[in-house]
Amino acid sequence: MKTQSARQKILFIINPGSGGHQPDIKEIISGYFKGSEHIAELYSIPKKCNIGKLKSTIEMAKADKVIAVGGDGTLKLVAECLLGTQTPIGIIPAGSANGMAKELGIPLAPQEALDNCVNGSVKGIHAVTVNNELCIHLADIGFNAYLVKKFEGLQHRGMWGYAKAAWQALWSHHKLAVEFKINDKTICCEAAMVVIANATMYGTGVKINPNGKLDDDVFELVLVKTYSVMEILKLKFTHMKLNPENIETFQATKLSIKTKHKAHFQVDGESMGKVNRVQASIIQKAINVIVPASSE
């Protein structure tokens, strides 16, 4: 890891539409840097975000580091702009799940997160390209992706609303007939969902991929063989462990997945519609992220 330099120019990419966004986040950032030797520049992402324009904005700023203020989707967007560069990416968690911030041990409180952006260490991590989409956290096909899509349209987004959706889904969602090629082997099986895991855990803290590492040479494919309402609620709302008897994990640098019927697909918490083919491969040393200086 590399420590930060003294005087810094820091560009904050703010997503006003993030799930847990504080309305005064701009004031918090501006107040933090008032009287500071560091230079803070703020840019709000428009509703219709053009990635080309965002990339141009980042390049023109010539900042020492770029901070994603939002959830995993905002981080993904910034990472796409800085993929393969040396520019460090920081996180001010302001989304509904903030899975990657939790993965990296970044504080959820804005002031502490800002301290980390200024004083943290820089760590290089890999990412995964999944059907030409950059995945820095988790992607999956099957049951969880179905719930991600269904949850988007829920009027009541609490536990009971989600439990109701999960219960309804149990009666309308079927297991996937899956064929995947990994490490020159072809495996056929049935599964409730298939996870392409760059990270170890979902935003709730439940670990779907406990042995995963963000800076090793592989990512993981996790088969969740069966499901119940309780297992689904664990994924969304608790830190409880999933039943290990229902899970099988494989390591890969690239893989292909084929399903008999099209199934729901999501990347970093965003629904990508239905697919019956998935191609994934690792991107080594994809991005540099700012993590707490005590992290290893």
Side-chain angles (χ1 to χ4, degrees), residues 85-268:
T85 73
Q86 295 301 308
T87 304
I89 301 172
I91 306 171
I92 305 295
S96 54
N98 305 307
M100 202 61 181
K102 293 171 183 175
E103 182 82 26
L104 295 167
I106 292 168
L108 299 183
Q111 292 284 343
E112 294 178 25
L114 282 163
D115 285 340
N116 179 68
C117 289
V118 174
N119 303 311
S121 298
V122 177
K123 177 179 181 177
I125 66 171
H126 67 242
V128 184
T129 177
V130 186
N131 281 15
N132 297 318
E133 286 284 340
L134 180 66
C135 174
I136 53 175
H137 189 228
L138 297 163
D140 53 55
I141 181 172
F143 197 84
N144 184 63
Y146 178 92
L147 265 294
V148 166
K149 179 64 177 176
K150 197 167 183 66
F151 197 57
E152 286 177 353
L154 283 181
Q155 190 172 5
H156 302 290
R157 285 181 155 233
M159 177 177 273
W160 292 113
Y162 195 89
K164 183 179 178 181
W167 178 257
Q168 292 173 344
L170 276 172
W171 297 102
S172 57
H173 188 270
H174 303 286
K175 281 189 177 182
L176 303 171
V178 180
E179 176 185 300
F180 60 95
K181 293 183 179 179
I182 186 169
N183 301 331
D184 299 322
K185 292 173 63 176
T186 299
I187 299 171
C188 298
C189 62
E190 283 193 338
M193 70 177 191
V194 182
V195 185
I196 295 169
N198 191 44
T200 65
M201 61 187 177
Y202 283 99
T204 57
V206 64
K207 291 199 172 183
I208 191 76
N209 178 35
N211 297 319
K213 292 182 179 179
L214 288 167
D215 56 355
D216 60 6
D217 297 329
V218 296
F219 62 93
E220 283 74 35
L221 179 137
V222 183
L223 293 179
V224 180
K225 299 175 184 178
T226 187
Y227 51 81
S228 65
V229 169
M230 181 56 69
E231 293 289 282
I232 296 158
L233 293 180
K234 284 179 187 178
L235 280 177
K236 189 66 183 177
F237 292 107
T238 80
H239 294 262
M240 296 170 67
K241 293 181 180 179
L242 299 179
N243 185 346
E245 293 181 2
N246 293 337
I247 295 174
E248 190 171 1
T249 303
F250 303 84
Q251 291 187 323
T253 56
K254 64 178 181 178
L255 61 82
S256 63
I257 302 170
K258 183 168 66 175
T259 61
K260 187 175 181 181
H261 303 289
K262 285 191 174 183
H264 286 276
F265 171 56
Q266 70 87 18
V267 178
D268 289 345

Side-chain angles (χ1 to χ4, degrees), residues 1-2 4 64-68 75 78-91 100 104 106 116-117 120-127 134 136 214-215 283-291:
M1 291 186 189
K2 300 176 183 178
Q4 303 301 301
D64 295 301
K65 57 182 70 167
V66 179
I67 313 302
L75 177 59
V78 172
E80 286 172 348
C81 294
L82 291 171
L83 190 65
T85 73
Q86 295 301 308
T87 304
I89 301 172
I91 306 171
M100 202 61 181
L104 295 167
I106 292 168
N116 179 68
C117 289
S121 298
V122 177
K123 177 179 181 177
I125 66 171
H126 67 242
L134 180 66
I136 53 175
L214 288 167
D215 56 355
I283 307 172
Q284 296 285 359
K285 299 178 180 177
I287 56 174
N288 290 313
V289 291
I290 303 169
V291 299

